Amino acid sequence: RDYIFHDPDNPWFVFTDYDLVYREDPYYSPIDEPRADGEAKTDGEGHLSLRLPADVSTDSVSQTFTIEVTLTDENNQEVSSRTEVIVHKGVFYIGLKPQSYVSQAGEPASLDILTLDSERKVAPNVPMTVSIYEREWVSVKEKDPEGEYYWRCEPEDTLVETLAARTDEDGEGSLTFVPAKSGNYRLVAEAIDASGNSIRSATYVWV
């Protein structure tokens, strides 16, 4: 199921892109989806080692894997146990926090940036790009299978500009842009780690 990274020491920073998590569905809630299963036997000392596929490259965000093992004894009685492990999308996360969520057209709007590794320790000197989109909601009237009409709202993003940013030795950075007009702006930060994994976070500013 989806895993959302948080840092209790920096509660106002967002470390993911919630558009990927909620998939534009306000009623979305994470569910457990099967990854793999199989059968095996312990050795003479009761030990068994498992190698599990942990590729999350096609997942939108990091994942929590729940590993459950069930054995059946000679009396047909079942005993189960489980554990969890987090599989991270990359070796660090990008945290974003607007200095103010409400800004004014023609005035500078600033964004604080924080990069941490999966253990919530500083990830220094991370280069990234920050794409600034103007978001509009488009309402479309559609007909359901029963013939009833309803309104569906879809976001429409227009790229305004793309800026370069970089965190320092303390994993801290900032960025300033000047929105030309009022509206809802979506700020998307993207970086690549040393293993080639794509890492992304996003936040909003209302102008």
Side-chain angles (χ1 to χ4, degrees):
R1 65 183 182 277
D2 292 344
Y3 169 77
I4 306 301
F5 181 88
H6 296 285
D7 180 29
D9 294 330
N10 295 280
W12 303 111
F13 280 85
V14 175
F15 290 89
T16 192
D17 182 351
Y18 279 98
D19 272 25
L20 299 179
V21 177
Y22 292 99
R23 299 173 176 86
E24 310 299 348
D25 179 1
Y27 302 107
Y28 168 78
S29 60
I31 59 173
D32 291 334
E33 297 180 355
R35 290 278 174 152
D37 59 19
E39 296 183 358
K41 181 180 288 189
T42 57
D43 62 20
E45 296 182 348
H47 295 159
L48 171 65
S49 294
L50 301 175
R51 293 181 61 86
L52 305 172
D55 181 10
V56 296
S57 60
T58 59
D59 292 283
S60 300
V61 296
S62 299
Q63 298 291 301
T64 299
F65 282 14
T66 301
I67 303 159
E68 183 175 272
V69 177
T70 300
L71 62 83
T72 305
D73 69 12
E74 59 187 8
N75 294 318
N76 229 21
Q77 301 298 308
E78 291 187 347
V79 178
S80 298
S81 186
R82 64 169 56 188
T83 190
E84 290 187 345
V85 61
I86 299 168
V87 183
H88 300 279
K89 287 282 287 183
V91 298
F92 60 82
Y93 287 86
I94 304 170
L96 304 176
K97 179 178 72 68
Q99 292 183 7
S100 175
Y101 282 94
V102 179
S103 297
Q104 187 170 333
E107 298 292 332
S110 296
L111 176 71
D112 290 334
I113 304 171
L114 178 66
T115 47
L116 301 176
D117 67 16
S118 59
E119 300 296 322
R120 296 181 173 83
K121 297 177 181 177
V122 169
N125 303 316
V126 175
M128 67 191 72
T129 60
V130 179
S131 300
I132 300 170
Y133 297 88
E134 184 180 3
R135 166 161 287 191
E136 294 184 0
W137 288 90
V138 179
S139 297
V140 180
K141 197 172 187 179
E142 294 187 345
K143 186 188 297 195
D144 64 21
E146 284 74 37
E148 297 291 330
Y149 285 92
Y150 66 97
W151 288 98
R152 179 171 58 87
C153 292
E154 293 286 345
E156 191 174 272
D157 291 342
T158 301
L159 180 63
V160 176
E161 61 180 317
T162 299
L163 302 173
R166 186 184 188 95
T167 54
D168 60 17
E169 288 289 334
D170 297 320
E172 299 176 349
S174 63
L175 177 145
T176 299
F177 75 102
V178 180
K181 59 180 181 177
S182 61
N184 183 6
Y185 288 83
R186 177 168 143 83
L187 285 58
V188 182
E190 297 176 283
I192 304 294
D193 70 9
S195 300
N197 299 308
S198 179
I199 294 137
R200 172 171 159 178
S201 292
T203 189
Y204 291 88
V205 172
W206 288 267
V207 177

